[in-house]
């Protein structure tokens, strides 16, 4: 067993526990606790409660590791490892009762900054759909339904280059209305490559879908580290490429994910040169 194998098992256990809590709370009704960066950027009581559960469980099991979560901030560790957590990715879907929301948990090594870190483990769990996506560095990306008696786990692979029908590409739009003109212009530049567009509403599930071949590619401006930390490793371990601005790692300025051929095409189209 490698270190990543131990860590992924803990990440899976915690993500499933956290996901069941989110699902239970959803059934009881959603309480909007606050707005964040913009009026449309909401946080529910469940986002906070689920992150608190994850943070508590990780502190018990991995006291020396750092933590970097969407709702409760960052705390440096001593081990060189950091857990990067989005307790509910797809909060607007969650609030509206759309099942595409997920618990996203990654373990990264090195400076807790996506330009510099190395992903070791990525787990994305969608409790309303009972779908679990996992990856360890060098160990591949995997899909496992968590329904009782569900199908056996299977290894993920991104799609090959799309044919002349064009690519199925997902994207997202920032919460801040001031960014929408730019978002739509970028989408306009990608349209000639696309057979159709999807806006799923959860970046981690967009990335998991690229890894699983349910999408050919995905791009979005405005993501935060916890939105893409786990999903990026899923895509890379499924044979895909994840990047940001030309030659960079994914960042808030841009995230692109696809198989190698489409990645290059998306990068060029988005750049607009
Ligand atoms: C959001 C989702 C959404 C993306 C936003 C993210 P949240 O995360 O991933 O798909 O378009 O940029 O902020 O707020 O639901 O955790
Ligand atoms: Ca979130």
């Amino acid at each position: 067993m490698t270190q990543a194998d131990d860590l992924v098992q803990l990440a899976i256990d915690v993500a499933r526990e956290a996901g069941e809590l989110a699902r239970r709370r959803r059934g009881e009704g959603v309480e909007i606790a606050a707005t964040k960066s913009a009026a449309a950027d909401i946080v529910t009581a469940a986002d906070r409660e689920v992150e608190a559960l994850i943070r508590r469980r990780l502190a018990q099991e991995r006291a020396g590791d750092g933590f970097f979560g969407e709702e409760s901030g960052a705390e440096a560790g001593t081990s060189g490892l950091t857990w990067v957590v989005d307790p509910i990715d797809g909060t607007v879907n969650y609030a509206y009762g759309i099942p595409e929301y997920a618990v996203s948990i990654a373990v990264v090594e090195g400076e807790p900054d996506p330009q510099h870190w190395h992903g070791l483990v990525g787990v994305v769990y969608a409790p309303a759909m009972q779908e679990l996506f996992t990856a360890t560095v060098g160990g591949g990306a995997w899909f496992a339904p968590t329904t009782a008696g569900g199908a056996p786990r299977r290894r993920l692979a991104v799609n090959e280059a799309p044919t002349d029908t064009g690519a199925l590409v997902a994207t997202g739009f920032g919460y801040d209305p001031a960014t929408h003109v730019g978002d739509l212009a970028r989408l306009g530049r990608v349209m000639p490559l696309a057979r159709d567009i999807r806006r799923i509403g959860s970046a981690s599930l967009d990335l998991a879908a690229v890894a699983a071949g349910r999408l050919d590619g995905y791009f979005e401006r405005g993501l935060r580290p916890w939105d893409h930390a786990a999903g990026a490793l899923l895509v890379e371990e499924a044979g895909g490429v994840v990047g940001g601005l030309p030659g960079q790692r994914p960042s808030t300025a841009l995230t692109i994910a696809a198989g190698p051929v489409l990645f290059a095409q998306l990068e060029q189209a988005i750049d607009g040169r």
Side-chain angles (χ1 to χ4, degrees):
M1 287 268 274
T2 66
Q3 183 191 33
D5 292 332
D6 286 339
L7 292 169
V8 78
Q9 197 48 56
L10 176 60
I12 291 169
D13 292 347
V14 173
R16 291 190 62 172
E17 199 180 320
E20 294 324 316
L21 174 62
R23 193 153 74 112
R24 204 164 61 243
R25 290 289 181 255
R26 180 71 192 76
E28 293 162 4
V30 172
E31 184 197 327
I32 309 298
T35 57
K36 298 196 285 187
S37 62
D41 186 4
I42 54 170
V43 56
T44 72
D47 289 89
R48 291 174 175 170
E49 187 184 3
V50 172
E51 182 157 317
L53 178 148
I54 296 170
R55 196 165 184 156
R56 196 170 55 244
R57 288 277 280 110
L58 295 176
Q60 282 162 1
E61 303 287 336
R62 302 278 316 175
D65 295 348
F67 184 88
F68 185 18
E70 174 169 16
E71 311 301 344
S72 62
E75 187 180 334
T78 52
S79 65
L81 304 184
T82 303
W83 294 76
V84 185
V85 171
D86 190 339
I88 300 180
D89 179 44
T91 296
V92 174
N93 284 351
Y94 183 77
Y96 274 76
I98 296 170
E100 275 84 1
Y101 64 88
V103 178
S104 175
I105 300 181
V107 185
V108 302
E109 191 167 30
E111 205 183 318
D113 169 347
Q115 292 304 307
H116 302 290
W117 71 37
H118 298 285
L120 296 183
V121 163
V123 169
V124 175
Y125 177 50
M129 301 185 295
Q130 304 225 334
E131 292 193 334
L132 175 68
F133 301 86
T134 66
T136 53
V137 63
W142 299 83
F143 169 72
T146 59
T147 42
R153 74 179 201 143
R154 77 180 159 81
R155 193 163 183 157
L156 301 180
V158 298
N159 289 340
E160 300 286 320
T163 60
D164 52 13
T165 52
L168 187 61
V169 178
T171 190
F173 304 92
Y175 292 119
D176 179 358
T179 65
H180 291 165
V181 170
D183 291 340
L184 290 169
R186 213 168 291 113
L187 178 58
R189 293 199 292 276
V190 167
M191 281 314 280
L193 295 171
R195 69 186 297 158
D196 205 346
I197 295 295
R198 295 289 179 270
R199 196 302 187 239
I200 290 171
S202 165
S204 61
L205 288 176
D206 287 311
L207 290 162
V210 172
R214 293 175 180 176
L215 290 170
D216 294 309
Y218 163 68
F219 71 95
E220 184 164 350
R221 188 213 56 81
L223 296 188
R224 307 299 305 278
W226 46 81
D227 294 318
H228 59 72
L233 190 65
L234 292 173
V235 173
E236 287 167 350
E237 287 294 326
V241 182
V242 184
L245 293 175
Q248 292 183 21
R249 304 277 304 143
S251 68
T252 301
L254 186 63
T255 298
I256 306 175
V261 173
L262 180 61
F263 179 89
Q265 293 170 338
L266 286 171
E267 191 175 49
Q268 195 181 15
I270 290 167
D271 191 32
R273 273 177 276 179

